[in-house]
Amino acid sequence: MDKTALPSLGPGDLQLSLLEIGCSGRFELLSQRLSDNQPLHPLSTLPHGLPPTGLDLRAEVETRFLSDPEWLPIHDTDSAFQKFLRVVQRKRQVESLLHCAVSPMHSGLSVVRDPTTGMLLDFNEVLLEDTGLSSKNSLSLLRPPGPPSESLRGSNTNYPFLPGGMEELTLEQIKKKSEQEEEIDFENGLLTVAPGLKAGMDFAAKEPRTSRGEVNLLSLLSNFNDIIDTQLNEEDGEEKQREGEAPKISRTNSLEDLGIKDSTSAPSQSATSSEGKKEGRVEKEGEPVEEKKRWAIPVDISSPCEDFYKRIPDPAFKWPFELDVFQKQAILRLEVHDSVFVAAHTSAGKTVVAEYAIALSQKHMTRTIYTSPIKALSNQKFRDFKNTFGDVGLLTGDVQLNPEASCLIMTTEILRSMLYNGSEVIRDLEWVIFDEVHYINDAERGVVWEEVLIMLPDHVSIILLSATVPNAVEFSEWIGRIKKRSIYVISTLKRPVPLEYYLYTGNSTKTQKELFLLVDSAGNFLTKGYYAAVEAKKERTSKHAQSFGAKSSSQNTTASQDRAVWLALLHFLSQQQLTPVVAFTFSRTRCDDNARALSSMDLTSSVEKSEIHSFFQKSLSRLRGGDRQLPQILLMRDLLKRGIAVHHSGILPILKEVIEMLFSRGLVKVLFATETFAMGVNMPARTVVFDSIRKHDGTGFRNLLPGEFIQMAGRAGRRGLDATGTVIILCKAGVHDMGDLHAMMLGKPTVLQSQFRLTYTMILNLLRVEALEVTDMMRRSFSESHRDTQSQEKRIAQLRKKLASLPPLDTDGQLADLVPFYQTLTELRVTSENLQRAVMESVNGLKALSVGRVVVVNNSQHCNALGVILQVSNDSTNRSFTALILCEKGKEEGGAEPQSSIATLQHLYNPAVFIPDGPCGHTVQKLKLQDISAITTKTLKVIPERIIDNYNKRQQPRFRLDPPGQAISTATQELLRLAESNPTGIATLDPVNDLQLKGIEVVEASLRMRALQESLREFNCVHCPTFSEQFAQVQERMSIQEELDTLLFLVSDQSLLLLPEYHQRIRVLESLNYVDCKGAVQLKGRVACQISSHELLLTELLFENTLSPLAPEESAALLSCLVFTQNTQTVPHITSTLQEAIDRVLSVAQRIGELQRDCGLAQSAEDFVAQFKFGLTEVVYCWARGMPFSEIAQLTDVQEGTVVRCIQRLDEVLREVRQAARIVGDSVLGSKMEKASLAIRRDIVFTASLYTH
């Protein structure tokens, strides 16, 4: 039989269709035939359906060729035509629409085995938890990894991982949060069918069926719906048995958003163990803690660690030398995965701790991040660790080497960016090592350390390496509290090489040996040496005055005098074999001048000269020919051959590296350096010399701080080579003050202080993640470390319990206005106390309180009692008054019972003067200012000495029954007569009219006080028979409530120091449309997240298209204002286009500055604009156009090293703008920034570091 030819099936004949379930990305395959008129694209349960399947060919051609001129090159028409053909000749492939991303599996299989034989019996289906997690909606480490391209640096659309120590939301907080967002009844009317779906889940209580706890896979195939009901009911029943009643949870998008973790899920062994740890910690916190938990644990290093090798028989890393005690103790803590803070002097061996952590992470197959404050230090550490461990990577702004390594070295800013952007590196991270932690005191960059410490997840342990600081325990306590883990503090003051401090007064060949010991190696300050130096200086000065006449004593010396001092000193040091020498000089110009002045000095042998020459030539061989002839390079080559070098920020980076390497080999004998050389890398010398002990810190000249001096002096003394290190302070103009020297050498180092401040980048990065609040970051900052929230919350719980146990108030009938009465009375008390304080502190008030003045006394013993002043103390800070006061007979010595709560406030609403019921008594007491509630208009003639003497005499037992003297009797009778003649109240001095206090606060308080006294007469509760008892209850309840309110304020965000500034910055962001009124980050805000500094200005320039009309080299030149911070004397010559762009930048900056000022920020618009300096625009413009470096160096007075550093930082800015342009969708600007970046990345500016090759 012949085969019948059938036409091939078309897409319309496929019996398949896709149904999109909600907007979760899940699809179901429907095997039903489509009707002819039914659309082929996937169906949806949502009303709007899916996005369109694809553009029409004609529309696509129009879009690509007519709308986008980039597709039509002017010259290469063939290439454009080929692209056109590729689009036109494309075949329709409708089947490709049926291919969609695989949705995550909602269940998996578990194996059932025979417990005795291990034989496979069955498979059970297990529902998987958290299958919808991703880096875009979850902070959890359980979320699946993102794309490989984002694994290292992350993405600014990623959520960060949950910071360690952040509390998960409680059920009450979830309810409160949901109620604020949307009115939801958590008890009634909850939906069981999701909007758009036909069926839902039935949560009605059902009788649990007697079926197996786990579902058989075979039965699953036969009756799927029945199985789901069974499983749900069984789980529900088990939950009720375990917990009694499951709490109701509010509606929300996902459990992850609420921060709730299901303890039943066990995705992996490691995750389960970490969860267990966390739960254990929470349970501990729930227990009643009798004493405050200390997170910082000081480690005793006074006794030797004898069992070190028993406890660690197989260490992860071994050294060829015996470790110090502090190093062993730190390693013991690392072995049990504890966090440590190691504070020790420079060259003490802190790097050993870092090396062991790196070795441990390699052993555990995890990763370590080593952060440093400066890029140069990162490069040096990369070389050192690369030689030791091999598997080491480097991440800086412009370099990325071996990013897959187990140990990554980077600057702290890059780690901050990785944490905010949810880098996948954080998953494998075991240790983060912070080197030079005392850099947290840096005003500009210190905030970065705090941000990183707060944002690190729970599984990462922290190693902090620092110079000696006085408050290491306090700082560690803060870290421990925010991370909820113990920090072991290991601090040592021992120096491996003790230091000796000298004063040097020599200035010629004759006096070159004038070196006086000031502090010996044991740390004793020798005044004998100080006075000897003073004498030597004075003797020479007096001889000079005899010969040439006296001259004015100036602290500044001439260049020739400086040269004489340095020549004398260096000749002496080379004779005594005290080289190599580091000479710290706090001026780049003086460093250069001092080095050039030593043209006659040669400190190297011929062999050393040959070695220096060959190393220098080899290091510079990678430079272009013209760059090798730069004046700075030629000058440094000449100096280096003679063993002299200069090291400061104005030196070219490659030259600085050559100098550092030659110095570490011992070939540089004298190095003139600024303070930056003392930072970080271990480059010890035999001797350190201080050219001066004063430096300019940006605002003015000051003496060196002890911490700064110790850091630099610590470079003296090479471990294993020198018995002691020598530190010399030059006395060029005169001997420094002894007090200054003592404070600097033996004073306490600078304490670690918080430099936390809010930045727009930080605010926007946290606002884009709903689960993290900016207030959380502020609350956890070191500046808020004084907040003892734990004990305050404990006290709040006690007060709430106490408040709940109080009996209910009776506010019926006459007592209806009792609470308003109490509030009015309290306000009157506060107002009268303030007014009283103002009167007592005024001159007229104190004049009125003279001897003989009648006053009204109110305290715990007396209520509206009249008294007369007998004596006034001379102590102005704690003034007291001795007064004779009326009282009941027999109650003179305070025998009266303490007054009730209402009696202590009675004088406020009842001005009636105290009149004794029986015989009149009297007492003499010392009164404080607050005991005198009013100064009357009356005065009495009294004899104070007689009254006081007679009263004191009658206090003795043998004279106790004697009658009072004449003076006392007269005064008492006069007071009683005054009281009886003014029973409803006595006339008092008015603060405004009588005492002439015309201050606005006094006048307002006086008027307010009268109004409150008038209003008190209208209350009825005072006439109630049970008024006193009820008032006592109100007062007790209100005092507890007031304390509770105060504590609630202290633990709330409202008490944060930076909260007002946060609200001001939010107003700025709202005004510029970076966030909306609800705090949601908008497109401009997402762009600003990409930018690390000057984010507002740069984003505004992007959105105003300021960079669009500029050529790539002009864009680079314009953006140099963001990285250049110095003032220059030269005026740049620039194009008119660039000048217009500069004017636009300044106008945008002015607008932002004025907006910030209007929103309440302290910085003025002028200061904001002044931080953008355009001194390098011409230099960068010419460099980007290909001009050689030797020529651009002539265009400015800025030193070569500074120019190189600015252009390197400019490349990072261009990269950020390129990423921002990609977010906005401006491909033209993105390609322009790429061209600008390529134009400046050349020659000496971007020569690879010698440490990395």
Side-chain angles (χ1 to χ4, degrees), residues 316-317 319 331 334 350-371 381-382 384-393 405-409 429-435 463 465:
F317 192 79
W319 290 267
I331 287 170
L334 297 190
K350 297 189 288 287
T351 310
V352 163
V353 183
E355 287 174 337
Y356 196 82
I358 295 167
L360 263 184
S361 70
Q362 290 187 341
K363 181 180 178 182
H364 298 160
M365 300 185 77
T366 56
R367 303 181 90 167
T368 298
I369 287 179
Y370 186 101
T371 74
K381 287 295 180 187
F382 174 75
D384 296 347
F385 290 156
K386 184 86 174 167
N387 294 338
T388 309
F389 298 102
D391 189 23
V392 178
S406 65
C407 173
L408 287 175
I409 295 167
L429 201 53
E430 184 176 10
W431 305 102
V432 172
I433 303 161
F434 294 91
D435 202 1
I463 298 171
L465 307 178

Side-chain angles (χ1 to χ4, degrees), residues 808-836:
L809 293 177
D810 181 8
T811 53
D812 297 332
Q814 281 185 311
L815 294 172
D817 55 4
L818 182 59
V819 174
F821 175 79
Y822 174 82
Q823 291 165 346
T824 308
L825 202 62
T826 304
E827 188 184 348
L828 179 60
R829 178 176 58 80
V830 173
T831 308
S832 65
E833 284 174 359
N834 292 338
L835 190 60
Q836 181 186 351

Side-chain angles (χ1 to χ4, degrees), residues 64-65 71-73 76-90:
R64 287 204 176 185
F65 291 100
W71 267 70
L72 290 176
D76 193 3
T77 52
D78 293 341
S79 171
F81 186 66
Q82 292 300 323
K83 289 182 181 177
F84 173 75
L85 288 178
R86 275 204 298 274
V87 174
V88 173
Q89 295 176 352
R90 190 184 69 185

Side-chain angles (χ1 to χ4, degrees), residues 39-314:
L40 187 64
H41 61 74
L43 308 172
S44 173
T45 61
L46 297 178
H48 55 71
L50 285 175
T53 54
L55 284 172
D56 181 63
L57 281 180
R58 181 174 175 180
E60 191 169 350
V61 169
E62 283 179 3
T63 306
R64 287 204 176 185
F65 291 100
L66 300 182
S67 307
D68 189 0
E70 292 277 317
W71 267 70
L72 290 176
I74 299 169
H75 306 293
D76 193 3
T77 52
D78 293 341
S79 171
F81 186 66
Q82 292 300 323
K83 289 182 181 177
F84 173 75
L85 288 178
R86 275 204 298 274
V87 174
V88 173
Q89 295 176 352
R90 190 184 69 185
K91 290 182 180 178
R92 285 184 185 271
Q93 291 183 338
V94 184
E95 294 90 341
S96 64
L97 296 175
L98 299 176
H99 294 290
C100 59
V102 181
S103 58
M105 296 289 291
H106 65 278
S107 63
L109 296 179
S110 69
V111 175
V112 179
R113 295 183 181 275
D114 187 290
T116 53
T117 63
M119 185 180 290
L120 183 64
L121 299 178
D122 204 349
F123 293 95
N124 288 337
E125 185 175 26
V126 180
L127 288 176
L128 300 178
E129 298 289 334
D130 300 332
T131 53
L133 302 187
S134 74
S135 58
K136 311 299 180 191
N137 65 10
S138 168
L139 303 170
S140 172
L141 284 164
L142 305 179
R143 72 193 193 197
S149 59
E150 297 176 0
S151 64
L152 183 64
R153 302 274 180 137
S155 164
N156 76 324
T157 57
N158 282 359
Y159 276 28
F161 292 108
L162 182 70
M166 286 263 184
E167 298 88 357
E168 294 180 10
L169 295 177
T170 62
L171 211 57
E172 289 75 20
Q173 288 171 319
I174 295 164
K175 286 184 180 181
K176 187 177 175 185
K177 189 175 179 184
S178 301
E179 281 163 3
Q180 287 171 352
E181 291 168 0
E182 184 186 347
E183 288 297 325
I184 298 175
D185 184 354
F186 288 94
E187 304 296 333
N188 305 311
L190 293 176
L191 299 179
T192 56
V193 181
L197 294 183
K198 294 176 182 176
M201 303 298 290
D202 183 9
F203 292 102
K206 296 180 183 177
E207 289 296 321
R209 304 181 186 179
T210 54
S211 64
R212 288 171 54 189
E214 292 173 334
V215 181
N216 191 300
L217 188 61
L218 297 173
S219 62
L220 181 71
L221 297 172
S222 60
N223 195 351
F224 187 73
N225 292 332
D226 197 36
I227 295 303
I228 287 182
D229 286 345
T230 308
Q231 237 185 335
L232 280 166
N233 290 328
E234 283 196 1
E235 286 177 8
D236 194 34
E238 286 173 16
E239 283 293 313
K240 283 188 178 178
Q241 285 173 4
R242 278 200 305 269
E243 302 180 43
E245 177 113 8
K248 293 183 174 63
I249 295 178
S250 62
R251 217 163 23 124
T252 183
N253 292 336
S254 74
L255 282 179
E256 191 59 28
D257 291 343
L258 304 179
I260 296 176
K261 291 186 183 174
D262 192 347
S263 58
T264 57
S265 63
S268 68
Q269 199 172 355
S270 61
T272 311
S273 63
S274 70
E275 285 295 318
K277 259 195 271 183
K278 195 177 285 186
E279 284 168 18
R281 187 157 62 236
V282 170
E283 284 170 10
K284 274 185 193 169
E285 286 173 11
E287 293 169 7
V289 183
E290 290 183 8
E291 62 179 49
K292 187 179 170 187
K293 179 168 176 57
R294 309 301 301 179
W295 298 103
I297 304 170
V299 176
D300 178 26
I301 57 165
S302 56
S303 54
C305 187
E306 293 171 352
D307 60 345
F308 176 74
Y309 295 105
K310 287 182 184 175
R311 290 166 71 175
I312 310 178
D314 183 24

Side-chain angles (χ1 to χ4, degrees), residues 392-459:
V392 178
L394 177 67
L395 288 179
T396 57
D398 57 335
V399 178
Q400 184 171 307
L401 298 175
N402 195 17
E404 300 82 22
S406 65
C407 173
L408 287 175
I409 295 167
M410 61 185 70
T411 52
T412 321
E413 278 80 359
I414 290 177
L415 177 56
R416 174 180 65 173
S417 169
M418 289 168 64
L419 286 166
Y420 278 133
N421 293 343
S423 164
E424 297 299 332
V425 172
I426 307 300
R427 289 178 186 276
D428 306 329
L429 201 53
E430 184 176 10
W431 305 102
V432 172
I433 303 161
F434 294 91
D435 202 1
E436 309 292 334
V437 172
H438 47 272
Y439 214 91
I440 202 170
N441 284 346
D442 183 77
E444 187 63 31
R445 296 173 59 212
V447 60
V448 181
W449 272 257
E450 291 192 49
E451 282 183 78
V452 170
L453 285 166
I454 293 167
M455 290 297 294
L456 280 174
D458 208 26
H459 68 280

